[in-house]
Amino acid sequence: MRKISTWVAMGAAAVILGFQPVQAGLLGMPMGLRSAIQHIKFEANALAPFAYTQFCARYADECRKRTMFRGGPVKLTAERWDQLNEVNRTVNRDIAPERNELGLAGETWLIGPDRGDCNDYAVTKRHQLLAQGWPARALLLSEVVTNSGEHHLVLVVRTNNADLVLDNLTPSIKPWSRAPYRWVRIQMPDHNRLWATIASRRV
């Protein structure tokens, strides 16, 4: 029963993310994307958000430069897909949404608060995935702009299939090119204190 449930869940992941199934024995395994620009292209160096600098002063270990034994995105296995969904779901559930009415002056990025805004969701998800053994190079905070013009923070997870977005505004994990945002800047994989602008996703 558990084996059947696992394959069903993996098949659902393939549908949500637009992954192509391969041979029948591996039905639903994420092996590639049909119609998404898979990975973010980093452009020019950019200043980190000031609130992120304050976050690093408060949580120094979250921002330290880690030794990279290998580079690039991580392999998206069924176990890792389950971890992403679990973290996305539980953090979205456990933090009650609270709008920041003070703008930049009121931005405080906190890990695991009872109430918070998009920044708190994003850094909490990153913190939990780091604790589960995900490499820092694959867990990148990114600033975007919503259709309503608001600045918003999400967590981008770099996998071999695609750069995936964990977002408090939706329960679905999507490839970055399918998230309905204008992309502003993102952490650099090789040094999380450094940020960069993002190339257009138009092809």
Side-chain angles (χ1 to χ4, degrees), residues 16-17 19-20 24 36 39 55 58 77 112 117 123 131 158 179 200:
I16 292 170
L17 290 174
F19 291 126
Q20 291 181 331
H39 295 104
F55 169 80
R58 181 180 291 110
T77 63
D117 61 12
V123 297
R158 307 203 77 203
S200 172

Side-chain angles (χ1 to χ4, degrees), residues 102-200:
L102 299 177
L104 292 176
E107 278 204 8
T108 306
W109 299 11
L110 299 175
I111 293 174
D114 293 332
R115 308 182 67 84
D117 61 12
C118 61
N119 309 302
D120 306 310
Y121 289 95
V123 297
T124 300
K125 290 172 187 179
R126 184 176 184 276
H127 173 77
Q128 291 192 8
L129 289 169
L130 284 172
Q132 293 184 34
W134 284 71
R137 72 176 190 274
L139 305 173
L140 308 179
L141 300 171
S142 183
E143 180 186 357
V144 300
V145 177
T146 68
N147 289 332
S148 64
E150 291 186 273
H151 285 252
H152 180 56
L153 196 72
V154 297
L155 178 65
V156 172
V157 179
R158 307 203 77 203
T159 77
N160 60 321
N161 292 89
D163 290 339
L164 306 177
V165 180
L166 276 62
D167 191 348
N168 65 296
L169 298 182
T170 174
S172 300
I173 297 175
K174 300 177 181 179
W176 82 283
S177 60
R178 295 180 184 166
Y181 301 131
R182 177 169 63 84
W183 292 77
V184 179
R185 53 186 166 178
I186 189 170
Q187 288 179 296
M188 295 289 286
D190 56 347
H191 197 321
N192 295 144
R193 284 183 180 267
L194 303 179
W195 289 57
T197 58
I198 299 171
S200 172

Side-chain angles (χ1 to χ4, degrees), residues 6-34 38-39 74-85 134 159-164 173 175 178:
T6 300
W7 288 119
V8 170
M10 290 165 65
V15 172
I16 292 170
L17 290 174
F19 291 126
Q20 291 181 331
V22 288
Q23 53 190 305
L26 296 176
L27 183 64
M29 276 296 288
M31 297 297 289
L33 288 171
R34 279 198 200 110
Q38 293 184 356
H39 295 104
V74 299
K75 183 177 180 181
L76 183 60
T77 63
E79 179 183 6
R80 281 180 168 153
W81 172 246
D82 287 342
Q83 287 177 336
L84 291 181
N85 276 282
W134 284 71
T159 77
N160 60 321
N161 292 89
D163 290 339
L164 306 177
I173 297 175
R178 295 180 184 166

Side-chain angles (χ1 to χ4, degrees), residues 46-64:
L47 290 175
F50 180 66
Y52 175 74
T53 303
Q54 294 177 311
F55 169 80
C56 289
R58 181 180 291 110
Y59 302 103
D61 193 55
E62 296 287 314
C63 304
R64 66 180 173 83

